[in-house]
Amino acid sequence: MIIRLYTILFFIIFEILKTIIQVSVLFQYAYLLISKTYSEPVRNFTNKVSVYSYKVLRYVTLNENNKPYPFQDFPQIMELPEAEVFFE
């Protein structure tokens, strides 16, 4: 019973994370249109949030037994962002 409650809790957390990522993407593109360059702090933040979202999604879809943060350490960055990104 308690495991099902954790799964529901993390599903709600995943939906919140999706919203945070969507808002961050919109902000990043608005910033890009205005300043002609991307925001490095937003880029690093969204990279960390996307890794955490991936871990939450794996737990919710029953592909991983380990509960995500705060029950485990916050996940480390899986991949570093590209050094330079081009928008063509």
Side-chain angles (χ1 to χ4, degrees), residues 8 12 21 24 40 42 56 68:
I8 292 170
I12 294 168
I21 291 172
S24 298
E40 192 64 37
V42 173
V56 169

Side-chain angles (χ1 to χ4, degrees), residues 27-81:
F27 175 80
Q28 185 74 287
Y29 277 100
Y31 187 87
L32 179 67
L33 286 172
I34 293 168
S35 67
K36 304 292 187 223
T37 186
Y38 56 85
S39 170
E40 192 64 37
V42 173
R43 190 174 172 208
N44 290 331
F45 172 74
T46 54
N47 191 20
K48 291 175 185 174
V49 172
S50 64
V51 171
Y52 180 59
S53 298
Y54 173 72
K55 291 292 189 181
V56 169
L57 187 59
R58 285 192 48 85
Y59 178 75
V60 170
T61 58
L62 306 176
N63 287 302
E64 190 170 304
N65 289 325
N66 297 331
K67 292 179 195 76
Y69 179 83
F71 298 99
Q72 302 288 326
D73 290 338
F74 196 80
Q76 299 300 315
I77 295 174
M78 292 172 49
E79 297 178 19
L80 293 175

